[in-house]
C-alpha cells in the first residue's frame, strides 16, 4: 500500500512539474525589457560582463548604441565575450578592462585609470558576483561573498560617484537574484568566521 501511494505521489509531482514548468521558468527568468530606447552617446560600465547576465546586458546595450566598458577579472575571457558581441553586432563599441572586485587595490587602480581616460559615465551596472564559494577570503581579508558581491561594488561606486553625478542623468543598477530570500545578514558575524555555509553566505 505504501509503495502504491509513493508511486502515485511521484506521478502527481511529475505531472505538476510538466504542467507548470514553462511558468516556473518564466517566473524564475524575471522580466523582459521591451524598451526600444537608443543609448547613442552614452557610456555604460558593467562588472562581470564576460558571461551570463552581464554579457547579455553588454550585447543589448551595445546594440542600442552605447559605448560598453566590460570590467572583468579575467581579461582573456572578457576579450572573447567582446569578440562575440562584435560578431553579433558589427557596430558594437565594446572594450574590456581588468577589474578584480576581490582586491581593493585592483578596484582603486581601475577607478584611477577609468577616471583619467573616460570623461562620462551614464550607467554603472554592478553585476559581477560569486556564489556558493568554499570558505575563502579576499586579498583584504573579507569573506569572499561579502567582499566581492557587496564591499567591492560599494568601493567601486564610491570611487566613480563623482563622474556619475557630472554625467547626469545617470543610473546605478545593482543586479541581484532571488537568493537573498534564503539568507539573512548576521551582523554579529559578517565575515562568517564563527560558522560558514556557502549557500547562506
Amino acid at each position: 500500500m505504501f509503495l502504491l501511494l509513493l508511486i502515485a505521489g511521484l506521478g502527481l509531482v511529475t505531472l505538476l512539474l510538466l504542467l507548470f514548468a514553462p511558468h516556473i521558468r518564466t517566473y524564475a527568468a524575471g522580466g523582459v525589457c521591451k524598451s526600444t530606447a537608443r543609448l547613442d552617446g552614452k557610456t555604460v560600465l558593467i562588472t562581470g560582463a564576460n558571461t551570463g547576465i552581464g554579457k547579455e546586458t553588454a550585447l543589448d546595450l551595445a546594440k542600442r548604441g552605447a559605448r560598453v566598458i566590460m570590467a572583468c577579472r579575467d581579461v582573456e575571457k572578457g576579450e572573447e565575450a567582446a569578440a562575440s558581441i562584435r560578431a553579433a553586432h558589427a557596430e558594437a563599441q565594446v572594450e574590456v578592462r581588468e577589474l578584480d572586485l576581490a582586491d581593493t587595490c585592483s578596484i582603486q587602480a581601475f577607478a584611477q585609470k577609468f577616471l583619467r581616460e573616460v570623461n562620462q559615465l551614464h550607467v554603472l551596472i554592478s553585476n559581477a558576483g560569486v556564489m556558493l564559494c568554499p570558505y575563502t577570503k579576499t586579498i583584504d581579508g573579507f569573506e569572499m561573498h561579502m567582499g566581492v558581491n557587496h564591499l567591492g561594488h560599494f568601493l567601486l561606486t564610491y570611487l566613480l560617484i563623482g563622474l556619475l553625478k557630472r554625467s547626469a542623468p545617470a543610473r546605478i543598477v545593482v543586479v541581484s537574484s532571488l537568493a537573498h530570500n534564503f539568507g539573512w545578514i548576521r551582523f554579529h558575524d559578517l565575515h562568517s568566521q564563527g560558522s560558514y555555509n556557502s549557500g547562506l553566505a
Side-chain angles (χ1 to χ4, degrees), residues 3-17:
L3 185 59
L4 189 58
L5 286 173
L6 181 64
I7 292 171
L10 288 173
L12 180 61
V13 168
T14 303
L15 178 63
L16 289 172
L17 282 174

Side-chain angles (χ1 to χ4, degrees), residues 38-46 61 64-69 93 114-115 118-126 157 160-174:
R38 296 288 306 164
L39 295 173
D40 301 292
K42 303 292 184 186
T43 301
V44 178
L45 171 62
I46 307 172
L61 298 181
R64 294 168 186 265
R67 173 189 181 194
V68 178
I69 300 168
Q93 300 174 60
F114 191 90
L115 292 170
V118 179
N119 59 6
Q120 287 189 317
L121 178 59
H122 302 96
V123 183
L124 168 59
I125 302 177
S126 296
T157 303
L160 298 179
I161 196 74
L163 180 59
L164 283 156
K165 287 179 178 181
R166 289 190 301 276
S167 305
R171 300 285 181 266
I172 300 170
V173 179
V174 179

Side-chain angles (χ1 to χ4, degrees), residues 39-184:
L39 295 173
D40 301 292
K42 303 292 184 186
T43 301
V44 178
L45 171 62
I46 307 172
T47 65
N50 59 307
T51 61
I53 294 170
K55 181 179 174 186
E56 291 301 317
T57 302
L59 172 61
D60 185 74
L61 298 181
K63 284 181 178 179
R64 294 168 186 265
R67 173 189 181 194
V68 178
I69 300 168
M70 303 166 66
C72 305
R73 182 183 68 232
D74 187 327
V75 174
E76 187 176 323
K77 288 181 181 176
E79 290 294 352
E80 289 172 13
S84 73
I85 290 170
R86 288 184 201 103
H89 186 70
E91 293 87 36
Q93 300 174 60
V94 291
E95 57 190 84
V96 177
R97 293 178 182 232
E98 184 175 5
L99 172 64
D100 184 354
L101 289 164
D103 180 356
T104 56
C105 289
S106 172
I107 298 166
Q108 290 172 339
F110 173 89
Q112 287 172 357
K113 184 176 181 189
F114 191 90
L115 292 170
R116 278 194 313 269
E117 298 175 357
V118 179
N119 59 6
Q120 287 189 317
L121 178 59
H122 302 96
V123 183
L124 168 59
I125 302 177
S126 296
N127 167 74
V130 296
M131 143 179 162
L132 298 174
C133 296
Y135 185 77
T136 51
K137 292 184 176 183
T138 66
I139 290 173
D140 304 289
F142 304 119
E143 186 276 323
M144 190 62 72
H145 293 93
M146 179 65 76
V148 171
N149 298 356
H150 303 288
L151 302 177
H153 278 120
F154 181 85
L155 177 59
L156 179 65
T157 303
Y158 174 77
L159 295 171
L160 298 179
I161 196 74
L163 180 59
L164 283 156
K165 287 179 178 181
R166 289 190 301 276
S167 305
R171 300 285 181 266
I172 300 170
V173 179
V174 179
V175 177
S176 183
S177 75
L178 292 175
H180 71 277
N181 290 317
F182 305 107
W184 58 89

